[in-house]
Amino acid sequence: MSALPLPLASAPRPKLTLWQLVMVFFFTVSGGAYGLELVVSASGPGMALLLILVTPLVWSLPIALLSAELSAAIPDEGGYYVWVKRALGPFWGFLEGWWSWLSSFPLMAVHPVLFAEYLSALLSEQFGVSFLADNAWARWLVAVAMILALAWLNLRGARAVGASSIWFGVFILAPFAVMSLLGLLRLIQSPTPIWQPLVPPETGLLGAFGIGLFILMWNYAGWDAVSTINGEVEHPQRNVPLAIAITIPLIVLTYFLPVLAGLAGGLPWADWSLGTFPLVATALGGAWLGLWLAVGALVSRLGLFNAQLLSISRLPFVLAEDGYLPRAITREHKRFGTPWVSIAVCAVIYILFSLDAFASLIVTCMVLYSAALILECLALIALRLKEPNLPRPVRVPGGLAGAVLITLLPTAVLLLAIVATVQEVGPQMLYLSAVAVVSGPLAYPLLRALMKRLQPAAPLGR
């Protein structure tokens, strides 16, 4: 058998600076307070404010600490895929990468679909243009255009994504800051118990807590996702933990202050629904502020897709490097040094999944994401046992017991969320989720037989 041709040399990838990394984290996890309106009406104003502060402690902080320790100890391209492979072996590493990539298909497609929906509503309500509202295929073409534009931006590299994320972030955070200031001033001038009632009158305390928690856990998820681009970060052992430490309070404030200000804006809490923030902003500051918030919802979807494509597109790249996917996926752009084939493959998949037929797969994605996250928790513990002397510039406090404790909390939250979701949507989603999970163990030997034998495996530590 002839030797495989050496890949063509490509340009080095410009790396993310600290503040670019902060905004990539911001958009990978949050993207602004849009969507939190449902927590207020479903769980009540008091419970919503409480959960915004409590959820990071039981959900975000454990995963952030896990990501900080492993990113500082193993700052390699591929992130959580590399961690699990090194800790648990190639089979479990493959499952980590496969499940994470598979779960992104419908989840990533949600952003362009909502972008098109928001644009349609904005044109119709503000300018009387109803073409998009009346034409589903036109909205899909808008979604396709968004995907292609941001794939092109990703092609230019992590630095380009980071720089654009800063501009997207400023555009989104500025109107929320103005709205928050106006709401707080009104609250100071006319103090009212905006946190009452704690929960809706017809909902029990535990039920209101559970509903809000399940919504907020997805608004606080994704701290591990950025690890796939650790190799494209300046000084990752220092900057990744520092960026996490900056982004957690930033996101908490981004959620808490607009909800607090919105409750002071006078709109009845029971009437809150998706799209309420522009209405509250209009009541507090005028039509110009409401329009800014409405346009901000569009920009939020751009920022979310942009940052998440950056991290997700590295998964097929590292899977291909290890011989599980075609070697062509490892090709890098000569000028920008980016994995352009991997980005293109992801873009095509998300274009297909942006069709409405795949919307019902969101619950299945939740199960896949949960399975992958549990493997990361196991990897943290396994590496503590297997490699106790591995240099860890950042370490979860409390020794091995501390590492076990921070993995138990998010695992319990995930399992509760899965059980509650399955009970709500029915067992048919459980069957589909089971098929998706089993696809990993089935794909592993098949892909090894088809492709892995054609090239040597990368070392476990990459």
Side-chain angles (χ1 to χ4, degrees):
M1 181 182 295
S2 60
L4 289 172
L6 294 175
L8 295 176
S10 58
R13 303 181 191 178
K15 296 188 175 184
L16 288 167
T17 63
L18 172 62
W19 288 105
Q20 290 175 343
L21 181 61
V22 166
M23 295 315 298
V24 168
F25 264 112
F26 175 78
F27 279 108
T28 303
V29 175
S30 171
Y34 300 104
L36 291 184
E37 302 99 323
L38 295 176
V39 182
V40 175
S41 55
S43 297
M47 184 61 73
L49 291 171
L50 180 64
L51 282 170
I52 289 173
L53 298 177
V54 170
T55 304
L57 299 178
V58 299
W59 171 245
S60 296
L61 188 59
I63 302 304
L65 287 172
L66 177 153
S67 299
E69 175 174 320
L70 293 180
S71 292
I74 311 172
D76 295 339
E77 191 84 347
Y80 47 75
Y81 166 74
V82 177
W83 306 338
V84 174
K85 183 177 72 168
R86 180 161 170 170
L88 305 177
F91 171 72
W92 297 105
F94 172 82
L95 293 187
E96 174 72 16
W98 180 263
W99 287 339
S100 298
W101 189 37
L102 208 62
S103 70
S104 78
F105 293 177
L107 288 176
M108 287 290 288
V110 165
H111 302 311
V113 169
L114 288 180
F115 177 87
E117 294 289 346
Y118 292 163
L119 180 60
S120 172
L122 182 66
L123 292 175
S124 179
E125 295 170 7
Q126 297 289 336
F127 306 102
V129 178
S130 60
F131 174 72
L132 287 181
D134 299 334
N135 193 320
W137 282 108
R139 293 195 299 275
W140 182 70
L141 290 176
V142 169
V144 171
M146 172 189 155
I147 293 171
L148 293 178
L150 295 178
W152 174 84
L153 186 58
N154 266 261
L155 178 66
R156 300 181 68 85
R159 182 71 71 90
V161 173
S164 61
S165 294
I166 290 177
W167 288 108
F168 289 153
V170 169
F171 189 92
I172 292 168
L173 292 175
F176 274 120
V178 173
M179 188 189 81
S180 299
L181 178 60
L182 293 174
L184 292 174
L185 288 175
R186 177 175 294 189
L187 189 60
I188 292 172
Q189 294 169 357
S190 304
T192 55
I194 58 173
W195 55 86
Q196 294 181 355
L198 177 62
V199 299
E202 70 281 0
T203 306
L205 186 65
L206 187 59
F209 179 84
I211 293 171
L213 177 63
F214 298 152
I215 296 174
L216 274 166
M217 63 184 288
W218 296 113
N219 285 275
Y220 276 117
W223 297 102
D224 57 330
V226 181
S227 68
T228 59
I229 57 166
N230 280 342
E232 299 170 68
V233 174
E234 291 182 354
H235 312 296
Q237 292 176 309
R238 177 182 69 91
N239 283 347
V240 171
L242 184 55
I244 291 174
I246 294 171
T247 313
I248 288 180
L250 172 64
I251 292 177
V252 172
L253 290 175
T254 300
Y255 290 166
F256 186 79
L257 293 179
V259 171
L260 187 70
L263 291 170
L267 188 70
W269 63 267
D271 295 338
W272 282 45
S273 61
L274 290 177
T276 292
F277 279 125
L279 299 177
V280 173
T282 300
L284 288 170
W288 67 273
L289 187 57
L291 180 60
W292 195 355
L293 263 292
V295 176
L298 292 170
V299 177
S300 175
R301 290 297 157 183
L302 292 175
L304 285 162
F305 187 90
N306 190 38
Q308 292 175 15
L309 179 60
L310 175 66
S311 62
I312 288 293
S313 62
R314 274 45 178 179
L315 284 177
F317 176 79
V318 293
L319 286 170
E321 274 197 329
D322 279 357
Y324 299 113
L325 295 176
R327 182 72 174 175
I329 294 178
T330 65
R331 291 178 182 170
E332 298 182 358
H333 196 279
K334 293 181 181 179
R335 178 181 175 187
F336 302 115
T338 49
W340 70 271
V341 176
S342 182
I343 294 170
V345 168
C346 289
V348 170
I349 291 172
Y350 302 146
I351 286 173
L352 296 176
F353 273 78
S354 64
L355 295 168
D356 289 341
F358 299 100
S360 62
L361 296 177
I362 295 298
V363 173
T364 301
C365 294
M366 171 185 168
V367 175
L368 288 173
Y369 172 78
S370 302
L373 191 56
I374 289 171
L375 286 182
E376 294 171 38
C377 292
L378 294 175
L380 175 69
I381 299 170
L383 284 171
R384 284 287 189 94
L385 295 172
K386 290 175 59 178
E387 301 186 48
N389 297 322
L390 177 69
R392 292 173 171 86
V394 177
R395 180 184 290 265
V396 174
L400 181 60
V404 172
L405 180 62
I406 71 155
T407 62
L408 290 178
L409 204 54
T411 300
V413 172
L414 281 171
L415 294 177
L416 284 173
I418 292 172
V419 171
T421 304
V422 170
Q423 288 178 344
E424 181 179 346
V425 301
Q428 67 277 6
M429 285 294 102
L430 184 60
Y431 304 145
L432 184 59
S433 300
V435 171
V437 170
V438 171
S439 71
L442 293 178
Y444 179 72
L446 178 63
L447 292 175
R448 281 176 60 91
L450 289 177
M451 297 177 196
K452 194 171 177 62
R453 63 184 177 81
L454 299 178
Q455 56 187 296
L460 284 180
R462 296 195 56 79

